[in-house]
Tab-separated table of all heavy atoms in Angstrom:
chain	number	residue	atom	x	y	z
A	172	GLU	N	-0.502	27.120	1.800
A	172	GLU	CA	0.013	28.097	0.835
A	172	GLU	C	1.193	28.891	1.379
A	172	GLU	O	2.097	29.260	0.631
A	172	GLU	CB	-1.109	29.050	0.430
A	172	GLU	CG	-2.232	28.383	-0.370
A	172	GLU	CD	-3.416	29.304	-0.574
A	172	GLU	OE1	-3.355	30.465	-0.092
A	172	GLU	OE2	-4.404	28.862	-1.199
A	173	GLU	N	1.200	29.156	2.679
A	173	GLU	CA	2.218	30.038	3.260
A	173	GLU	C	3.336	29.255	3.944
A	173	GLU	O	4.056	29.797	4.783
A	173	GLU	CB	1.551	30.986	4.261
A	173	GLU	CG	0.520	31.917	3.612
A	173	GLU	CD	-0.259	32.734	4.633
A	173	GLU	OE1	0.045	32.605	5.852
A	173	GLU	OE2	-1.162	33.477	4.229
A	174	ASN	N	3.502	27.979	3.592
A	174	ASN	CA	4.555	27.194	4.234
A	174	ASN	C	5.921	27.784	3.909
A	174	ASN	O	6.167	28.272	2.801
A	174	ASN	CB	4.465	25.728	3.816
A	174	ASN	CG	4.918	25.486	2.397
A	174	ASN	OD1	6.101	25.292	2.122
A	174	ASN	ND2	3.961	25.500	1.465
A	175	SER	N	6.819	27.746	4.876
A	175	SER	CA	8.121	28.406	4.759
A	175	SER	C	9.091	27.676	3.840
A	175	SER	O	10.162	28.205	3.527
A	175	SER	CB	8.752	28.540	6.157
A	175	SER	OG	8.898	27.262	6.764
A	176	TYR	N	8.731	26.490	3.385
A	176	TYR	CA	9.636	25.709	2.523
A	176	TYR	C	9.363	25.940	1.031
A	176	TYR	O	10.117	25.473	0.196
A	176	TYR	CB	9.496	24.215	2.828
A	176	TYR	CG	9.856	23.858	4.245
A	176	TYR	CD1	8.863	23.795	5.225
A	176	TYR	CD2	11.164	23.600	4.603
A	176	TYR	CE1	9.186	23.472	6.540
A	176	TYR	CE2	11.501	23.272	5.923
A	176	TYR	CZ	10.496	23.219	6.886
A	176	TYR	OH	10.809	22.906	8.177
A	177	GLY	N	8.283	26.634	0.727
A	177	GLY	CA	7.945	26.880	-0.679
A	177	GLY	C	7.337	25.680	-1.373
A	177	GLY	O	7.290	25.633	-2.614
A	178	PHE	N	6.833	24.706	-0.621
A	178	PHE	CA	6.185	23.549	-1.238
A	178	PHE	C	4.885	23.987	-1.912
A	178	PHE	O	4.188	24.869	-1.435
A	178	PHE	CB	5.864	22.473	-0.187
A	178	PHE	CG	7.072	21.896	0.480
A	178	PHE	CD1	7.065	21.590	1.834
A	178	PHE	CD2	8.233	21.641	-0.240
A	178	PHE	CE1	8.173	21.058	2.456
A	178	PHE	CE2	9.349	21.099	0.376
A	178	PHE	CZ	9.314	20.812	1.729
A	179	ARG	N	4.560	23.320	-3.008
A	179	ARG	CA	3.334	23.628	-3.739
A	179	ARG	C	2.346	22.476	-3.593
A	179	ARG	O	2.695	21.316	-3.806
A	179	ARG	CB	3.645	23.879	-5.217
A	179	ARG	CG	4.449	25.148	-5.455
A	179	ARG	CD	3.606	26.393	-5.136
A	179	ARG	NE	4.375	27.628	-5.298
A	179	ARG	CZ	4.947	28.274	-4.303
A	179	ARG	NH1	4.855	27.785	-3.070
A	179	ARG	NH2	5.624	29.379	-4.515
A	180	PHE	N	1.123	22.833	-3.213
A	180	PHE	CA	0.067	21.847	-3.047
A	180	PHE	C	-1.083	22.154	-4.004
A	180	PHE	O	-1.368	23.314	-4.304
A	180	PHE	CB	-0.471	21.856	-1.615
A	180	PHE	CG	0.523	21.423	-0.589
A	180	PHE	CD1	1.374	22.344	0.014
A	180	PHE	CD2	0.618	20.095	-0.216
A	180	PHE	CE1	2.297	21.942	0.968
A	180	PHE	CE2	1.536	19.678	0.736
A	180	PHE	CZ	2.378	20.616	1.328
A	181	SER	N	-1.716	21.097	-4.480
A	181	SER	CA	-2.918	21.227	-5.318
A	181	SER	C	-4.097	20.703	-4.505
A	181	SER	O	-4.106	19.539	-4.093
A	181	SER	CB	-2.760	20.428	-6.617
A	181	SER	OG	-3.961	20.459	-7.370
A	182	THR	N	-5.077	21.582	-4.242
A	182	THR	CA	-6.213	21.205	-3.399
A	182	THR	C	-7.521	21.297	-4.181
A	182	THR	O	-7.635	22.073	-5.127
A	182	THR	CB	-6.306	22.107	-2.163
A	182	THR	OG1	-6.521	23.469	-2.582
A	182	THR	CG2	-5.035	22.026	-1.333
A	183	ARG	N	-8.466	20.474	-3.758
A	183	ARG	CA	-9.804	20.536	-4.340
A	183	ARG	C	-10.818	20.265	-3.236
A	183	ARG	O	-10.700	19.287	-2.499
A	183	ARG	CB	-9.959	19.510	-5.461
A	183	ARG	CG	-11.350	19.538	-6.107
A	183	ARG	CD	-11.380	18.684	-7.343
A	183	ARG	NE	-12.717	18.613	-7.911
A	183	ARG	CZ	-13.038	17.936	-9.006
A	183	ARG	NH1	-12.102	17.279	-9.664
A	183	ARG	NH2	-14.272	17.910	-9.469
A	184	LEU	N	-11.780	21.169	-3.118
A	184	LEU	CA	-12.796	21.056	-2.072
A	184	LEU	C	-13.968	20.209	-2.550
A	184	LEU	O	-14.489	20.397	-3.645
A	184	LEU	CB	-13.301	22.443	-1.676
A	184	LEU	CG	-14.445	22.468	-0.652
A	184	LEU	CD1	-13.972	21.919	0.695
A	184	LEU	CD2	-14.987	23.879	-0.485
A	185	PHE	N	-14.369	19.273	-1.693
A	185	PHE	CA	-15.588	18.499	-1.896
A	185	PHE	C	-16.520	18.866	-0.742
A	185	PHE	O	-16.392	18.326	0.365
A	185	PHE	CB	-15.282	17.001	-1.916
A	185	PHE	CG	-14.474	16.572	-3.106
A	185	PHE	CD1	-13.097	16.723	-3.122
A	185	PHE	CD2	-15.093	16.032	-4.229
A	185	PHE	CE1	-12.346	16.335	-4.226
A	185	PHE	CE2	-14.358	15.641	-5.338
A	185	PHE	CZ	-12.977	15.792	-5.327
A	186	PRO	N	-17.434	19.825	-0.963
A	186	PRO	CA	-18.227	20.386	0.141
A	186	PRO	C	-19.079	19.324	0.825
A	186	PRO	O	-19.577	18.385	0.209
A	186	PRO	CB	-19.105	21.430	-0.561
A	186	PRO	CG	-18.421	21.713	-1.864
A	186	PRO	CD	-17.765	20.434	-2.260
A	187	ALA	N	-19.238	19.525	2.144
A	187	ALA	CA	-20.062	18.609	2.935
A	187	ALA	C	-20.615	19.349	4.135
A	187	ALA	O	-20.071	20.369	4.569
A	187	ALA	CB	-19.244	17.399	3.384
A	188	ILE	N	-21.715	18.833	4.661
A	188	ILE	CA	-22.299	19.352	5.892
A	188	ILE	C	-21.548	18.736	7.056
A	188	ILE	O	-21.419	17.521	7.149
A	188	ILE	CB	-23.806	19.015	5.972
A	188	ILE	CG1	-24.545	19.676	4.803
A	188	ILE	CG2	-24.392	19.442	7.305
A	188	ILE	CD1	-25.984	19.236	4.673
A	189	MET	N	-21.040	19.573	7.942
A	189	MET	CA	-20.162	19.090	8.998
A	189	MET	C	-20.791	19.135	10.384
A	189	MET	O	-20.110	18.888	11.378
A	189	MET	CB	-18.863	19.906	9.000
A	189	MET	CG	-18.113	19.881	7.679
A	189	MET	SD	-17.666	18.212	7.150
A	189	MET	CE	-16.423	17.806	8.344
A	190	GLN	N	-22.093	19.430	10.471
A	190	GLN	CA	-22.756	19.443	11.771
A	190	GLN	C	-24.232	19.182	11.565
A	190	GLN	O	-24.833	19.634	10.594
A	190	GLN	CB	-22.539	20.783	12.472
A	190	GLN	CG	-23.030	20.805	13.912
A	190	GLN	CD	-22.462	21.967	14.692
A	190	GLN	OE1	-21.451	22.540	14.322
A	190	GLN	NE2	-23.101	22.303	15.807
Side-chain angles (χ1 to χ4, degrees):
E172 293 171 0
E173 297 173 2
N174 73 86
S175 58
Y176 299 94
F178 297 141
R179 292 292 177 262
F180 295 89
S181 175
T182 62
R183 180 170 175 180
L184 176 65
F185 293 82
I188 298 171
M189 303 302 290
Q190 188 164 340

